[in-house]
Amino acid sequence: MSKKLAVVWSVFLIAVFIAGGSSAMSQNPLPVSALVKIDLKAEGDLQQVEARGLAVYAHLTTEDEDYLIAEATEDDLDFLASQGLSYHVLDEKFAPGEYYLVYPRQADQLSLIARHGRLLYFDGLRALIRAPADEAEKLPALGVKIRWLPDSPIRLSPRVEGVAYESLGEPDPLIAEMIAQVNSATVYLYDGNLSGENQVTIGGQPYTIRTRYSKSGTPIKKATQFVYEHFQNLGLEVEYHYYNWSGYDWRNVVATKPGLTDPDDIYIVCAHVDSRSETHQTSLTNAPGADDNASGVTAVMIAADILSQYDFDYTVRFVTFTGEEQGLIGSYYYAQNAYYEGDNILGVLNLDMIAYDSDDEPIIELHASTRAGSIAIANLFADVVNTYDIDLVPEIITAGATDRSDHASFWDYGYSAILGIEDFDDFTPYYHKITDQLGTLNIPYFTEFVKASVGTIATMSSIIVVNFPDHDFNRDCIVDIADIMEIASRWHTTDADPDWDTMYDLDGDGIITVVDIMIVAADWGETCW
């Protein structure tokens, strides 16, 4: 942060506390409950807050601060003071569901943010405001991100203990095989399909996805249906996850590849499918969002293409969220549901804006927070990049990690998660504009990011090496009548036929005959090992 920006922001901080905040020494009587900021300065502070049972709505960090946003009564404040915990009252009348975190990129945006809500605090990375939803949703037009603080508390303890991954050492041939299947042509095609460059087929009819704005009605339904059908065509288990927010009925898309050894242990690769442009009106009809975030969805779809061909110890879910541009709404409801369903999610890889690189320095950011399980995932991602010689430079961010994308919803429910995103210091000038189009993307950089993502989710999910019988043509782990019927269907085809496949010419004589069929029959009943 420059000195000039630091001074400007410091002035705002002072103004905020003069106008709306009070310190631990305040003598003003409080109503039933207030919104407070609790500073975590010593080991054990977090545990004391948790033991007290305070309702916490955000756990936030910068390079200099570690703090909670919580609801507290007068008795709670007395408790905090008695334990030596520092706090500030931000809003003397707690209003659940009316708070947003806002992420300015320039100092002058802070005064603009204050016009749309009451500015309660700013920590140098994010501002906390109180605002009605319709005012908060005007903020993205300023080029800032918003995050809604839901009216239900977060979880301070891990829901699932983080996994400690071993260093990779030598490349795994199967993982290398999977990474090699990622190519620039598919990356370009998929992003173009999602961002309105290409006409696609949805429900058997031609359609062009010109916007994926969550409030657009038919377009967002078409976009989610397009992703759903893509997963469905891969043979994955697919479902819509429905939720209602502020009068809107929206849906996420969830595809599942069940694990064979430990199916209750789950890894997720995800991205938000929704987009927006300059204003609500432009977003309704024209919000291509090629970088934000057709790029992340492209990676999830390609990961599904590839991982669906293999078997894994653990279950893999491919998830796309709506409502992200309104404040991480879709991922909040999904993570909340997963928590209450008792889902054992071991790790989440969230991909958001992974395709813009204007300076040809292939830096990527991996936001992990200070959570041990999340740091382990980030370290594994970097290890995949190095082990498989992927042309990227990972930067792992712990303290000061951003919470402005869907991974944060999983943090709030105690799951390990990271965000993979392009270099913030080389930020796209097309953010939230109708010019966020395919032609602005760096396709080689984008492709490398997808390769690393595929390698990471495949490594975490623990690929199973399956040895199929030689003549198990349909790969169902047994040689039976289905395999005999498959080779019999090619009766008397020869090497001169356009669909000739040498795999079925078992005696090598250039024609499929009864001899080839008898060779398969001789292996009847053989199974995988």
Side-chain angles (χ1 to χ4, degrees):
M1 183 188 306
S2 70
K3 290 183 178 179
K4 181 178 179 181
L5 294 183
V7 170
V8 172
W9 286 336
S10 296
V11 171
F12 267 97
L13 285 176
I14 293 169
V16 165
F17 281 104
I18 291 175
S22 58
S23 71
M25 302 302 293
S26 173
Q27 300 302 311
N28 295 334
L30 292 174
V32 176
S33 61
L35 187 75
V36 300
K37 170 181 176 281
I38 304 172
D39 298 310
L40 302 177
K41 296 182 177 180
E43 186 175 350
D45 284 356
L46 181 65
Q47 289 71 25
Q48 288 193 65
V49 172
E50 187 172 22
R52 174 67 180 181
L54 290 180
V56 175
Y57 294 88
H59 182 186
L60 305 171
T61 63
T62 70
E63 291 184 357
D64 303 315
E65 286 192 275
D66 185 0
Y67 65 95
L68 306 174
I69 301 297
E71 177 188 4
T73 64
E74 190 72 58
D75 287 344
D76 293 327
L77 298 185
D78 289 342
F79 168 80
L80 295 175
S82 71
Q83 300 302 309
L85 286 162
S86 172
Y87 68 84
H88 293 279
V89 176
L90 302 180
D91 189 358
E92 293 192 350
K93 187 176 181 181
F94 178 64
E98 294 186 17
Y99 301 108
Y100 287 81
L101 295 170
V102 189
Y103 304 82
R105 292 187 293 112
Q106 302 170 25
D108 60 356
Q109 290 176 322
L110 208 55
S111 60
L112 297 175
I113 290 168
R115 297 177 187 176
H116 296 280
R118 184 149 64 91
L119 185 60
L120 302 176
Y121 187 68
F122 182 66
D123 65 12
L125 292 178
R126 57 184 80 79
L128 174 65
I129 68 169
R130 177 176 172 179
D134 59 344
E135 284 297 318
E137 288 194 53
K138 295 176 183 177
L139 291 169
L142 305 177
V144 299
K145 197 82 172 181
I146 63 172
R147 178 187 172 194
W148 177 56
L149 290 190
D151 52 8
S152 59
I154 67 170
R155 302 299 178 267
L156 297 179
S157 296
R159 170 67 178 82
V160 178
E161 291 298 326
V163 177
Y165 304 97
E166 296 181 359
S167 297
L168 297 182
E170 293 298 314
D172 183 310
L174 275 179
I175 301 295
E177 175 184 294
M178 298 170 77
I179 291 171
Q181 294 179 53
V182 179
N183 62 79
S184 294
T186 304
V187 167
Y188 189 85
L189 174 66
Y190 282 15
D191 196 287
N193 289 344
L194 288 160
S195 60
E197 296 284 342
N198 311 319
Q199 189 178 79
V200 297
T201 301
I202 303 174
Q205 299 296 319
Y207 188 82
T208 301
I209 305 172
R210 301 192 187 281
T211 179
R212 304 183 308 278
Y213 186 47
S214 290
K215 293 185 175 182
S216 63
T218 296
I220 188 60
K221 289 180 180 178
K222 291 288 189 182
T224 53
Q225 183 182 352
F226 177 69
V227 175
Y228 182 103
E229 290 176 355
H230 183 89
F231 292 148
Q232 187 178 52
N233 290 337
L234 297 173
L236 296 169
E237 301 173 6
V238 197
E239 62 181 340
Y240 290 119
H241 169 249
Y242 292 94
Y243 63 96
N244 178 277
W245 178 78
S246 195
Y248 290 95
D249 292 314
W250 291 338
R251 62 191 186 187
N252 303 316
V253 181
V254 183
T256 302
K257 171 81 175 178
L260 298 186
T261 307
D262 298 292
D264 291 336
D265 294 336
I266 302 161
Y267 283 98
I268 292 175
V269 57
C270 62
H272 75 87
V273 71
D274 62 313
S275 63
R276 68 161 296 124
S277 53
E278 285 85 346
T279 67
H280 170 71
Q281 288 302 318
T282 60
S283 298
L284 287 172
T285 57
N286 190 6
D291 188 32
D292 186 17
N293 184 37
S295 64
V297 178
T298 291
V300 173
M301 291 170 67
I302 290 175
D305 290 348
I306 296 170
L307 270 66
S308 63
Q309 305 171 50
Y310 300 83
D311 291 311
F312 299 88
D313 285 324
Y314 309 117
T315 291
V316 186
R317 287 184 187 164
F318 309 90
V319 186
T320 60
F321 300 113
T322 51
E324 194 269 357
E325 300 292 2
Q326 286 68 42
L328 319 189
I329 310 300
S331 60
Y332 160 71
Y333 282 108
Y334 180 83
Q336 181 189 63
N337 183 74
Y339 178 86
Y340 287 115
E341 290 290 325
D343 288 359
N344 200 50
I345 300 172
L346 300 182
V348 177
L349 172 58
N350 176 44
L351 301 167
D352 193 350
M353 301 175 63
I354 63 170
Y356 183 81
D357 176 40
S358 68
D359 57 14
D360 290 324
E361 294 183 11
I363 295 170
I364 65 169
E365 296 185 3
L366 304 173
H367 290 257
S369 79
T370 55
R371 299 161 175 82
S374 299
I375 293 172
I377 297 172
N379 286 333
L380 177 65
F381 194 111
D383 203 2
V384 166
V385 168
N386 294 327
T387 300
Y388 296 95
D389 197 24
I390 297 171
D391 186 20
L392 296 172
V393 180
E395 294 184 350
I396 297 174
I397 300 169
T398 53
T402 189
D403 56 322
R404 54 185 277 178
S405 189
D406 290 311
H407 61 291
S409 296
F410 293 92
W411 286 349
D412 285 350
Y413 280 94
Y415 294 115
S416 299
I418 68 167
L419 166 66
I421 192 170
E422 62 211 24
D423 182 12
F424 193 81
D425 289 332
D426 182 23
F427 196 79
T428 174
Y430 310 107
Y431 180 66
H432 288 174
K433 296 179 180 179
I434 60 175
T435 49
D436 183 5
Q437 298 173 2
L438 182 61
T440 68
L441 307 184
N442 184 324
I443 300 302
Y445 169 84
F446 186 1
T447 303
E448 294 297 292
F449 214 141
V450 176
K451 287 181 178 180
S453 302
V454 167
T456 300
I457 191 67
T459 301
M460 288 195 296
S461 305
S462 186
I463 192 167
I464 296 174
V465 178
V466 178
N467 296 299
F468 292 96
D470 288 341
H471 305 133
D472 180 19
F473 299 123
N474 63 355
R475 291 298 189 256
D476 64 350
C477 276
I478 186 169
V479 178
D480 57 13
I481 189 62
D483 302 293
I484 290 177
M485 293 300 292
E486 183 165 342
I487 191 170
S489 70
R490 290 165 173 78
W491 179 263
H492 273 197
T493 57
T494 70
D495 52 11
D497 293 315
D499 59 349
W500 172 255
D501 192 333
T502 57
M503 178 174 69
Y504 300 100
D505 183 19
L506 303 179
D507 62 356
D509 64 352
I511 185 171
I512 307 301
T513 66
V514 68
V515 175
D516 302 292
I517 296 173
M518 293 301 294
I519 292 173
V520 177
D523 286 345
W524 182 276
E526 285 197 12
T527 59
C528 293
W529 70 97

